[in-house]
Amino acid sequence: MADASRPATGYPAPQNGYPPPGTNTAYPYAQQPPPQSNYYYQNNNPNPYYYNTAYATQRATFFRRFVSAFLALLIIVGVILFIIWLVLRPRLPHFQVDSLSLSQLNLSSSAISANWDVRFTVSNPNTKMHVYYDSVEADIYYKAEHLAQNQLPPFDQGTKTTTNLTAKLVASSAFVDRWVVSGISGDKKSGSVSFNVRVLGLVRFKAGGWRVRTRWLRVFCGNLPVGFSSSSSIGANGTLTGGPSRCAVGL
């Protein structure tokens, strides 16, 4: 039988009836782990929130300055253009149809033959700007139906000058819709037929060393009544009634 006073194998002998004091380890006989190393990231900014706020403030300040500079540039350009406009006072040319004659009008079921002679007065009302017509084209219509077209010679106008322009338009058995033939025939029987004339010009405006880019000048002379003395549809002749007609001009 084992002796009760003999200590058990593998455990230290009790002192005064109590076990030995602890060693601050998880297990009495386990080796104490090495001390934990303190790894840390060195932060040179003691206040990161202040850094983010300052960066956002700098961006907002740059954006405000950029917008202010852009607006100031627009204002300066606008003031310069306004001063140029005050000095030059640019105005569009004036177009007027002085006469319109129609000769050798022949109508068939779906074709028209005729000669139109249109005389214009073109005026440049500007006192400091020259107008250069690099390309000029004239067209004649019955309502919205195109009848004839011709290219006119280029010309230029000095300040406060007037130019007489003649457009000769010819339709030789030109195909048209039936409603055009019936419309012209019906209007002709009533005494007059109204035509529309369009002029399209490629123009330049110049004042000294200042010039604008080339622009398309659009001229529309609408509802020009041509009176006929005969209701015949073969070889009929007619002339403009009601006197000269002012045309609408735009760019």
Side-chain angles (χ1 to χ4, degrees), residues 3-209:
D3 188 359
S5 63
R6 183 177 179 181
T9 304
Y11 293 91
Q15 298 179 2
N16 299 326
Y18 297 95
T23 59
N24 295 328
T25 61
Y27 302 95
Y29 297 101
Q31 184 178 1
Q32 185 176 1
Q36 184 178 2
S37 300
N38 295 326
Y39 295 98
Y40 64 95
Y41 171 74
Q42 184 177 359
N43 187 3
N44 296 325
N45 184 10
N47 192 346
Y49 177 76
Y50 172 78
Y51 173 78
N52 293 333
T53 305
Y55 178 71
T57 303
Q58 291 178 358
R59 290 187 61 184
T61 302
F62 171 78
F63 180 74
R64 285 196 298 269
R65 290 177 178 176
F66 175 79
V67 172
S68 300
F70 182 73
L71 292 177
L73 180 62
L74 288 181
I75 293 174
I76 293 173
V77 172
V79 170
I80 293 175
L81 293 178
F82 180 69
I83 293 175
I84 293 175
W85 181 84
L86 287 178
V87 173
L88 299 179
R89 295 278 184 170
R91 299 172 61 188
L92 293 177
H94 297 160
F95 278 72
Q96 175 179 286
V97 174
D98 296 322
S99 66
L100 170 59
S101 61
L102 174 61
S103 61
Q104 300 301 313
L105 174 62
N106 293 298
L107 298 171
S108 65
S109 60
S110 59
I112 182 174
S113 297
N115 298 323
W116 291 269
D117 193 322
V118 189
R119 299 183 184 275
F120 301 92
T121 296
V122 184
S123 303
N124 178 17
N126 294 285
T127 58
K128 298 181 180 180
M129 297 190 68
H130 292 247
V131 185
Y132 297 86
Y133 296 82
D134 297 329
S135 176
V136 185
E137 175 187 292
D139 301 82
I140 193 162
Y141 297 80
Y142 174 74
K143 301 186 186 302
E145 183 75 9
H146 184 262
L147 302 177
Q149 172 187 346
N150 194 13
Q151 197 76 19
L152 306 182
F155 64 99
D156 61 85
Q157 286 187 302
T159 58
K160 304 294 289 185
T161 58
T162 300
T163 303
N164 294 321
L165 191 65
T166 301
K168 295 184 180 296
L169 305 162
V170 178
S172 179
S173 299
F175 173 79
V176 292
D177 290 334
R178 291 183 178 273
W179 68 266
V180 176
V181 175
S182 60
I184 294 177
S185 298
D187 294 343
K188 189 169 173 294
K189 290 179 181 179
S190 64
S192 67
V193 181
S194 293
F195 295 96
N196 300 321
V197 176
R198 188 196 70 172
V199 177
L200 185 64
L202 191 62
V203 300
R204 293 176 291 121
F205 296 88
K206 182 180 178 182

Side-chain angles (χ1 to χ4, degrees), residues 181-247:
V181 175
S182 60
I184 294 177
S185 298
D187 294 343
K188 189 169 173 294
K189 290 179 181 179
S190 64
S192 67
V193 181
S194 293
F195 295 96
N196 300 321
V197 176
R198 188 196 70 172
V199 177
L200 185 64
L202 191 62
V203 300
R204 293 176 291 121
F205 296 88
K206 182 180 178 182
W210 183 83
R211 67 178 63 187
V212 299
R213 63 186 180 90
T214 304
R215 305 290 297 272
W216 284 105
L217 186 73
R218 295 172 173 83
V219 182
F220 182 76
C221 313
N223 296 323
L224 302 174
V226 175
F228 294 87
S229 58
S230 173
S231 60
S232 174
S233 61
I234 300 176
N237 300 325
T239 57
L240 180 67
T241 61
S245 178
R246 187 73 175 267
C247 304

